């Protein structure tokens, strides 16, 4: 092979279709549940806006647990929003005694009586509550080991949704200056609003038998997702190659289709070699790559290779004993190229497998997969700052135009037991003013975890926790961030205050890969 020369490998596309079943246009509960286990329409771009209501500290400080935005007597109104829309996620910091005697109520479409009304502790209970594991979790029963109570069950609404906490003695308890009682702490509610006229069917309760079966399908798919990579009956093509420093290889796809799963095996899978292997993807004849990321940062295994302690699996990405894989759909209408460039020491053996689906054409609203890789040292003079207290932030994504942000990997070189993640997540979509419409309450909550540790779910988890090289991931399905004009995704770089000396002396490196779909 000639140095810097590329070998072209033309991959034919399988005619076997993996199409989703036909669905009604109305976005009812079944529509949202389908999208929680099928990735078929993840590339679709639309006019919607995803936001969060949370207890973030409006002063810019770190007291994010108790900044309730709307207290009214015995009620704490967590969300009050017009439709059409869907509530995707309800998270809180604690259950148990802090919520004893507190109810949570859901009012739909201007109704005076709540359709859902139950003790707040029961709402998060996967054993005795309304939603099963793994769509609900509180550390009890099958959700043992889960760090934060939460519900990831979609709650659609046509006209309006109000979510409130109620406690008959709320004012008395508040006068006693017990902020955790009766509201608990660290509330986050993530929701999406759709354009007027979008046909959304409000959640009906109790669920029908058909809807209960659909919930079961999601739960089965999510449990399987954390157990290993999706099964592939037949690979469209498996290609082996050996690359020396300065060499590259090119894999070509012809026609129109979708890469449903991409796998990479590299040997030796050491950190320096996985990060020296650059992965580039070109769609529809473009000359600049939509994906340009070190392979180890695209698949998540760059720091630890296939170390047994760092193997993980989710609905979208994972690392097994000898392969890493990605199931984010990768559509193309007029051919595609995947280029591997190696700039490391010695030789690297690489095997690439692709499962592809042949399509006559693609939907007009499907975007093309993009991945943006960023590096930044905390405590550097050039760190951008955010909020009233000018907190430094790591910018994962900052682009203009139309697209859809669907998730990320975050990697931090953190040689300490001290907690690194007190910063909040900030996401501006089609907006620029402070505060953003999505403002979190801490680093780990974005990854569906809490209290300075992480757990693994079908859509989020960790590669490795502190100390050392930290790796975490989270992805969005129904709650993805569509944008027409611009998006900025930022994680505040705010460790626990005792880590300040570490920041000043070592300036630890933060790295990220943001995954999104761009308009073609």
């Amino acid at each position: 092979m000639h140095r810097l020369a590329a070998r072209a490998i033309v991959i034919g596309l399988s005619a076997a279709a993996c199409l989703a079943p036909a669905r009604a246009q109305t976005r009812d509960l079944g529509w949202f549940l389908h999208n929680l286990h099928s990735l078929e329409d993840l590339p679709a771009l639309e006019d919607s806006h995803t936001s969060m209501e949370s207890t973030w500290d409006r002063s810019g400080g770190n007291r994010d647990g108790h900044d309730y935005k709307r207290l009214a007597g015995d009620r704490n109104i967590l969300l009050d929003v017009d439709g059409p829309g869907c509530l995707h996620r309800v998270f809180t910091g604690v259950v148990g005694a802090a919520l004893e005697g507190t109810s949570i109520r859901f009012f739909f479409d201007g109704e005076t009586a709540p359709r859902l009304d139950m003790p707040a502790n029961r709402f998060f209970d996967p054993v005795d509550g309304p939603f099963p594991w793994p769509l609900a979790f509180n550390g009890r029963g099958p959700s043992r080991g889960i760090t934060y109570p939460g519900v990831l069950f979609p709650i659609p609404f046509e006209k309006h949704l109000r979510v409130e906490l109620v406690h008959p003695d709320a004012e008395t308890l508040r006068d006693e200056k017990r902020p955790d009682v009766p509201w608990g702490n660290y509330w986050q509610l993530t929701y999406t609003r759709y354009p007027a006229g979008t046909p959304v069917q409000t959640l009906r309760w109790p669920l029908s038998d058909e809807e209960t079966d659909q919930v079961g399908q999601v739960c089965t798919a999510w449990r399987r997702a954390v157990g290993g990579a999706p099964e592939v009956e037949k690979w469209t093509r498996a290609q082996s190659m050996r690359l020396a420093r300065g060499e590259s290889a090119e894999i070509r796809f012809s026609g129109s289709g979708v890469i449903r799963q991409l796998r990479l095996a590299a040997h030796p899978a050491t950190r320096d070699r996985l990060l020296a292997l650059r992965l580039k993807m070109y769609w529809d004849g473009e000359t600049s790559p939509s994906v340009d990321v070190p392979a180890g940062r695209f698949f998540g295994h760059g720091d630890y290779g296939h170390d047994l302690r760092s193997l993980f699996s989710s609905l979208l990405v994972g690392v097994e004993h000898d392969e890493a894989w990605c199931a984010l759909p990768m559509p193309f209408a007029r051919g595609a190229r995947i280029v591997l460039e190696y700039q490391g020491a010695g030789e690297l053996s690489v095997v690439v497998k692709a499962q592809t689906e042949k399509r006559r054409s693609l939907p007009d609203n499907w975007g093309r997969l993009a991945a943006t890789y960023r590096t930044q040292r905390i405590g550097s003079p050039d760190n951008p700052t955010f909020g009233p207290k000018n907190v430094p932030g790591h910018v994962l994504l900052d682009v203009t135009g139309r697209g859809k942000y669907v998730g990320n990997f975050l990697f931090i070189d953190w040689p300490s037991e001290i907690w690194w993640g007190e910063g909040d997540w900030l996401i501006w979509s089609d907006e620029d003013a402070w505060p953003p419409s999505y403002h979190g309450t801490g680093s780990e909550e974005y990854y569906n975890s809490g209290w300075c540790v992480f757990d693994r779910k079908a859509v989020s988890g960790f590669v490795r926790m502190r100390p050392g090289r930290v790796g975490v991931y989270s992805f969005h399905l129904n709650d993805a961030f569509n944008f027409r004009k611009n998006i900025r995704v930022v994680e505040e770089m705010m460790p626990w205050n005792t880590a300040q000396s570490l920041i000043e002396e070592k300036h630890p490196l933060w790295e990220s890969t943001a995954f999104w779909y761009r308009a073609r």
Side-chain angles (χ1 to χ4, degrees):
M1 180 187 298
H2 296 290
R3 197 174 294 268
L4 295 178
R7 291 179 298 177
I9 305 162
V10 179
I11 294 184
L13 299 179
S14 169
C18 304
L19 300 178
R23 291 166 289 155
Q25 282 189 327
T26 299
R27 299 187 180 195
D28 57 6
L29 177 62
W31 188 91
F32 288 102
L33 290 170
H34 178 80
N35 289 339
L36 287 181
H37 65 88
S38 170
L39 304 179
E40 166 67 19
D41 289 330
L42 190 60
L45 310 182
E46 66 174 17
D47 295 337
S48 64
H49 191 271
T50 297
S51 306
M52 174 185 283
E53 288 290 335
S54 75
T55 55
W56 66 278
D57 184 352
R58 285 172 287 186
S59 75
N62 196 30
R63 294 181 57 82
D64 291 314
H66 312 114
D67 193 338
Y68 301 110
K69 308 302 187 287
R70 190 174 171 186
L71 297 174
D74 63 354
R75 296 181 301 149
N76 182 348
I77 300 173
L78 299 176
L79 181 66
D80 193 355
V81 63
D82 288 331
C86 185
L87 175 63
H88 309 295
R89 178 178 177 273
V90 181
F91 253 53
T92 191
V94 294
V95 291
L99 290 176
E100 191 65 35
T102 301
S103 296
I104 188 168
R105 297 175 178 174
F106 293 76
F107 295 83
F108 294 91
D109 300 341
E111 296 171 345
T112 57
R115 292 196 190 185
L116 293 175
D117 183 357
M118 67 193 71
N121 281 324
R122 181 170 172 260
F123 178 75
F124 296 100
D125 194 331
V127 178
D128 297 323
F131 311 116
W133 162 260
L135 292 175
F137 34 88
N138 66 351
R140 182 175 179 229
S143 68
R144 284 188 299 272
I146 295 300
T147 58
Y148 245 36
V151 168
L152 299 176
F153 189 95
I155 300 178
F157 53 97
E158 179 186 2
K159 299 177 182 178
H160 190 268
L161 176 63
R162 186 172 84 247
V163 182
E164 62 184 32
L165 303 175
V166 180
H167 193 288
D169 300 321
E171 292 184 283
T172 301
L173 293 169
R174 189 161 61 246
D175 290 341
E176 295 174 356
K177 297 182 179 181
R178 299 170 61 189
D180 279 351
V181 181
W183 310 130
N185 59 28
Y186 296 104
W187 285 88
Q188 295 187 356
L189 289 84
T190 306
Y191 63 97
T192 299
R193 295 179 64 195
Y194 307 104
T198 302
V200 173
Q201 182 182 88
T202 298
L203 177 72
R204 297 172 296 187
W205 198 263
L207 303 182
S208 67
D209 290 344
E210 180 182 3
E211 290 168 332
T212 300
D213 289 343
Q214 292 169 329
V215 172
Q217 292 173 25
V218 175
C219 294
T220 298
W222 280 28
R223 287 192 295 265
R224 287 176 177 170
V226 297
E231 294 183 2
V232 176
E233 291 185 4
K234 183 179 180 181
W235 294 103
T236 307
R237 183 70 175 269
Q239 180 66 36
S240 301
M241 59 196 77
R242 295 185 67 86
L243 299 174
R245 184 180 183 89
E247 293 181 334
S248 67
E250 181 177 287
I251 304 171
R252 292 195 177 189
F253 300 79
S254 60
S256 175
V258 184
I259 302 173
R260 291 295 176 190
Q261 189 180 149
L262 187 69
R263 291 200 188 187
L264 176 82
H267 182 78
T270 59
R271 182 177 189 271
D272 57 343
R273 300 193 184 202
L274 289 173
L275 298 183
L277 181 64
R278 199 81 178 189
L279 176 64
K280 298 182 179 183
M281 299 183 184
Y282 302 78
W283 315 118
D284 303 335
E286 63 188 2
T287 56
S288 297
S290 291
V291 174
D292 185 359
V293 181
R297 294 299 186 229
F298 182 89
F299 293 100
H301 65 328
D303 289 321
Y304 296 100
H306 301 280
D307 182 278
L308 291 178
R309 295 173 296 171
S310 302
L311 305 183
F312 66 94
S313 180
S314 72
L315 199 63
L316 300 103
V317 293
V319 176
E320 298 187 305
H321 293 279
D322 55 359
E323 290 181 318
W325 57 271
C326 175
L328 285 164
M330 307 173 198
F332 54 92
R334 300 185 307 279
R337 295 188 295 136
I338 295 179
V339 177
L340 294 166
E341 297 178 352
Y342 184 59
Q343 295 294 341
E347 281 196 334
L348 185 67
S349 297
V350 179
V351 178
V352 176
K353 297 178 183 177
Q355 179 198 25
T356 57
E357 170 199 332
K358 186 176 180 61
R359 303 284 294 252
R360 291 184 178 178
S361 62
L362 299 178
D364 291 338
N365 67 333
W366 274 21
R368 303 297 184 262
L369 181 67
T372 299
Y373 172 65
R374 295 280 183 87
T375 65
Q376 191 175 351
R377 289 197 175 275
I378 184 172
S380 300
D382 59 349
N383 287 155
T385 59
F386 301 89
K389 294 196 175 181
N390 295 313
V391 177
H394 175 70
V395 180
L396 292 82
L397 186 63
D398 191 359
V399 296
T400 58
R402 189 179 186 190
K404 180 180 185 179
Y405 167 67
V406 297
N408 72 63
F409 276 110
L410 180 66
F411 308 97
I412 302 174
D413 190 359
W414 193 255
S416 174
E417 286 285 0
I418 302 172
W419 176 232
W420 56 267
E422 289 297 320
D424 299 338
W425 283 86
L426 314 171
I427 301 179
W428 291 260
S429 51
D430 293 334
E431 56 190 304
D432 296 299
W434 179 266
S437 58
Y438 183 103
H439 195 308
T441 61
S443 299
E444 70 273 41
E445 287 96 328
Y446 177 83
Y447 297 97
N448 295 315
S449 300
W451 301 119
C452 308
V453 292
F454 297 88
D455 53 63
R456 288 174 176 152
K457 300 181 176 72
V459 293
S460 58
F462 66 94
V463 183
R464 187 76 69 89
M465 292 187 276
R466 71 187 195 282
R469 296 188 174 99
V470 175
V472 287
Y473 55 91
S474 188
F475 290 91
H476 304 280
L477 300 175
N478 287 319
D479 59 335
F481 294 78
N482 281 275
F483 56 96
R484 290 189 63 85
K485 299 178 181 178
N486 68 288
I487 191 166
R488 176 185 290 177
V489 181
V490 175
E491 158 66 335
E492 292 180 330
M493 304 164 85
M494 184 195 293
W496 188 248
N497 52 18
T498 55
Q500 192 60 38
S501 59
L502 173 64
I503 295 171
E504 294 172 354
E505 294 171 8
K506 297 186 178 296
H507 300 291
L509 183 67
W510 289 48
E511 301 174 77
S512 60
T513 302
F515 297 93
W516 55 292
Y517 288 91
R518 60 164 185 79
R520 59 189 179 89

